Amino acid sequence: MANAQERVFSGVQPTGNLHLGNYLGAIKRFVELQDRFDCLYCVVDLHAITVWQDPAELKRSIREVAAAFLAAGVDGEKHIVFNQSQVPQHAELAWVFNCVARLGWLNRMTQFKEKAGKDRENASVGLYAYPNLMAADILAYRATHVPVGEDQKQHLELARDIAQKFNNDFAASIAEHGLAEKFFPLPEPLIAGPATRVMSLRDGSKKMSKSEPSDASRINLTDDADQIAQKIRKAKTDPLPLPEAVEGLKDRPEADNLVGIYAALADSDPAGVLAEHGGSQFSQFKQALVDLTVAKLSPITAEMKRLVADPGHIDRTLGRGAERAEAIASETMGDVKDILGFVRRT
Ligand code: TYM
């Protein structure tokens, strides 16, 4: 079973429709890691409110993301599934990290620049400090491995920098309290496979994203078979047939994207897909992709629907998960308080 020192943590924001990128880049991989690690999978609602959310919609969305985890095959009994706001140590540790991370580090975060856009003065302080909360999510459990899509790589590097600086800044106190020298592990990003960056179906140079206005740019986990078929048939391509070898995908972003999606859904790799489909016209390959996508997603979509119809069950799962998560996080936070020199309640 899992090495006691190793633990997986990852999170997904409850901000609107989950899409194929979230599934292939993250949720599908959460499921695959369950046999090798002890895992915590979190619906990161505190992250969601860094931009304004409609309260009723947020609640619906939290349950929907939890349902997606479970429907995809995450085992909420064996592992821990919860929503972030139920475990106060995330916000508590994030404050400590606000005091460890440097402004210069956060100023380099490209996602903040993208999300804040031109009107930076009007972005919330939370949006700016978001990577510190993300570091707290991971390090509250001293998680060692973090499965994410490519877009989270920079945030993971920041989490490692924060862990390292905390360990260095408080090395003497850590030793004095008899704690491990590397009190916080340096969490490793697990960014692997053919779909670490799923691109828009309308533009192979843009990431598939929840915030893209055109719904045709993404496949949502709630889409039915007809919607999936329509979106894939309309997906942008180039006029050439599929190449015979992976090198032929270079400078063909749309072809590369569709082959990557196929590979991830089929648990294969681009070379394997091209061995089968190289030389095909897109019309033919797209039909194969529709069939595969519908076959893989529709059982998940159906199970999500079933789960969402029983919010009481989801809430109980999240509540139990939160209790188990808090037991771990409060221990870390207790040590952190000792390390910092806070006086604890006796
Ligand atoms: P979020 O909610 O934007 O996305 C959830 C996960 O989906 C991945 N992803 C993609 N992967 C491949 N192709 C895409 N087009 C694509 N779009 C999204 C993301 O990389 C992510 O893994 N900050 C995080 C949530 C978070 C977190 C954490 C993650 C908060 N705390 C701690 C790991 C550990 C986010 O906004 O993900």
Side-chain angles (χ1 to χ4, degrees):
M1 194 37 211
N3 179 334
Q5 305 294 307
E6 297 194 321
R7 189 176 273 151
V8 161
F9 181 97
S10 197
V12 174
Q13 291 200 58
T15 44
N17 279 332
L18 287 173
H19 54 69
L20 190 62
N22 300 130
Y23 177 63
L24 295 178
I27 300 171
K28 182 170 186 287
R29 311 210 39 244
F30 297 176
V31 179
E32 293 159 3
L33 291 164
Q34 294 184 115
D35 295 335
R36 287 200 285 135
F37 295 94
D38 290 326
C39 305
L40 295 111
Y41 295 127
C42 184
V43 184
V44 289
D45 47 12
L46 296 175
H47 278 90
I49 62 162
T50 53
V51 294
W52 190 84
Q53 302 294 325
D54 176 78
E57 187 53 31
L58 178 61
K59 187 167 279 185
R60 191 197 65 76
S61 216
I62 292 168
R63 291 176 176 143
E64 188 173 272
V65 174
F69 288 175
L70 301 172
V74 169
D75 183 339
E77 300 296 325
K78 201 161 156 216
H79 299 278
I80 299 180
V81 173
F82 69 109
N83 60 312
Q84 192 184 22
S85 61
Q86 291 204 49
V87 181
Q89 287 78 12
H90 289 248
E92 206 177 354
L93 187 58
W95 177 258
V96 175
F97 290 167
N98 283 344
C99 304
V100 173
R102 307 288 94 183
L103 280 178
W105 299 0
L106 289 175
N107 284 339
R108 284 197 286 276
M109 294 295 114
T110 53
Q111 200 160 76
F112 173 75
K113 290 181 200 164
E114 279 162 25
K115 287 200 176 170
K118 290 208 173 72
D119 195 9
R120 254 206 224 196
E121 296 284 305
N122 205 27
S124 74
V125 175
L127 189 67
Y128 184 75
Y130 170 120
N132 295 343
L133 176 59
M134 183 162 159
D137 298 339
I138 299 162
L139 296 173
Y141 306 96
R142 300 206 240 170
T144 50
H145 295 81
V146 186
V148 282
E150 170 74 32
D151 61 346
Q152 296 301 317
K153 190 166 182 238
Q154 196 184 34
H155 290 159
L156 256 296
E157 280 159 10
L158 186 92
R160 292 169 64 91
D161 289 343
I162 288 174
Q164 177 114 53
K165 182 160 164 55
F166 183 94
N167 291 345
N168 289 344
D169 287 357
F170 297 101
S173 184
I174 288 170
E176 214 170 281
H177 287 90
L179 296 161
E181 192 180 330
K182 272 196 173 178
F183 176 73
F184 285 125
L186 307 191
E188 278 209 30
L190 298 176
I191 304 173
T196 56
R197 189 173 174 81
V198 177
M199 307 308 277
S200 156
L201 298 179
R202 308 300 298 164
D203 179 350
S205 68
K206 276 194 193 160
K207 196 181 63 167
M208 185 178 282
S209 129
K210 297 172 192 176
S211 52
E212 167 65 40
S214 164
D215 194 57
S217 69
R218 65 182 159 263
I219 291 170
N220 302 305
L221 291 192
T222 48
D223 284 347
D224 63 24
D226 285 345
Q227 287 167 310
I228 292 174
Q230 246 186 33
K231 288 176 180 178
I232 292 179
R233 283 195 198 111
K234 280 199 193 144
K236 186 175 168 199
T237 48
D238 56 43
L240 301 173
L242 278 183
E244 302 283 350
V246 177
E247 301 76 58
L249 291 170
K250 199 168 165 279
D251 300 324
R252 294 181 66 188
E254 284 85 13
D256 188 33
N257 189 38
L258 295 185
V259 168
I261 291 173
Y262 192 106
L265 285 169
D267 294 314
S268 175
D269 55 28
V273 176
L274 293 179
E276 200 184 330
H277 295 279
S280 297
Q281 296 299 326
F282 270 109
S283 52
Q284 222 180 335
F285 178 63
K286 280 179 168 180
Q287 189 51 51
L289 184 57
V290 168
D291 294 343
L292 179 64
T293 310
V294 170
K296 295 288 180 177
L297 291 193
S298 57
I300 297 174
T301 307
E303 180 63 2
M304 269 173 77
K305 240 191 201 160
R306 194 185 70 79
L307 290 167
V308 164
D310 184 0
H313 171 74
I314 294 182
D315 293 2
R316 282 191 295 280
T317 304
L318 290 173
R320 273 200 310 274
E323 266 175 39
R324 291 162 63 202
E326 186 166 356
I328 304 170
S330 63
E331 210 173 292
T332 306
M333 201 58 220
D335 288 341
V336 167
K337 286 181 177 173
D338 287 341
I339 292 167
L340 291 170
F342 290 163
V343 174
R344 285 222 257 166
R345 195 188 298 157
T346 47

